[in-house]
Amino acid sequence: MSDLLERLRGRGWRMTAQRRVVAEVLNGEHVHLTADEVHARAVVRLPEISRATVYNTLGELVSLGEVLEVATDKRAKRYDPNAHQPHHHLVCARCGAIKDVHPGGNPLADLPDSERFGFTVSDVEVTYRGVCPNCAAA
Amino acid sequence: MSDLLERLRGRGWRMTAQRRVVAEVLNGEHVHLTADEVHARAVVRLPEISRATVYNTLGELVSLGEVLEVATDKRAKRYDPNAHQPHHHLVCARCGAIKDVHPGGNPLADLPDSERFGFTVSDVEVTYRGVCPNCAAA
DNA sequence: ATCCTACACTAGACAATGTCTAAGTCAAGT
DNA sequence: ACTTGACTTAGACATTGTCTAGTGTAGGAT
Ligand SMILES: [Mn+2]
Ligand SMILES: [Mn+2]
Ligand SMILES: [Zn+2]
Ligand SMILES: [Zn+2]
């Protein structure tokens, strides 16, 4: 992820303070932030950054394949910088906490041809739901 | 689904024209409508029905377990009346068409304890994505 | 170092989806 | 038929996402 800015430059992208800050927010440990959460954190470092730029930059990173959009939340999309290691998600139904998980097996192979209806299936998204230890204790 | 209204009455719910119409819209073949699509169809039969009532009724049906909320779309929630037969979804990335699918295997069993982080995991939602035959031909 | 300009950014309007409230309505028990 | 509390309505409001017109600037050219 640290060379994300280099990869972007390699694709002819201008390196701006705004893009750097968005990349920094997504950097670090594995987070799953909404666009407005990214904006809130970006504003700390660059107070004048606009919502539109955050949305634009996230969209660009998704198009590049550097960030994934995930729909674990039924409200806002979440942006996942852990794009280079395939994984799925485990979500607490009470507090919304999200963990990356790596189930065994291959869900794609579990879908027989008779259940594909002629689709060309290219991707599968798995969301486990439950209650996290914190919420279970309370 | 036809005795849904009886089940509701059994729980002390008042039987109103609005609730009947929402149930009728969800009845029939397996659909995956957004709240506003449900409202649009309900208005045909009961012109004065309000958006708030559609949202309320859908929320009540979800609480009852009679209808499922699914997040196949990254925009609006979709409401799935096929709640009594476990299944997953196959979505066309181009036109949004949604098919019910029944993969082999048990995705819940594929998540080892070491990947559960102390969560009590109760449910799994699987969304396959691809391109449908119609969109592939075009 | 300065200039140029295409690309990027900002503010804010607008759109889509979802939630809430106050006031009026009515289903169903009596 | 009456009564009453649950239900519905219209519309304000909140959240999330998109778009545009005008301004600014990154980075190549000179
Ligand atoms: Mn993740
Ligand atoms: Mn379904
Ligand atoms: Zn929790
Ligand atoms: Zn299609």
Side-chain angles (χ1 to χ4, degrees), chain B residues 3 59 135:
Chain B
D3 51 347
C135 289

Side-chain angles (χ1 to χ4, degrees), chain B residues 30-32 70 80-82 87-89 98-101:
Chain B
H30 294 161
V31 292
H32 302 87
V70 294
D80 187 341
N82 188 16
H87 66 281
H88 297 292
H89 293 106
I98 302 176
K99 303 291 269 183
D100 286 356
V101 295

Side-chain angles (χ1 to χ4, degrees), chain B residues 3-19:
Chain B
D3 51 347
L4 168 59
L5 297 180
E6 281 313 315
R7 285 201 292 274
L8 292 176
R9 203 194 314 271
R11 299 201 185 210
W13 292 39
R14 288 198 186 163
M15 199 40 50
T16 67
Q18 290 83 355
R19 285 173 172 170

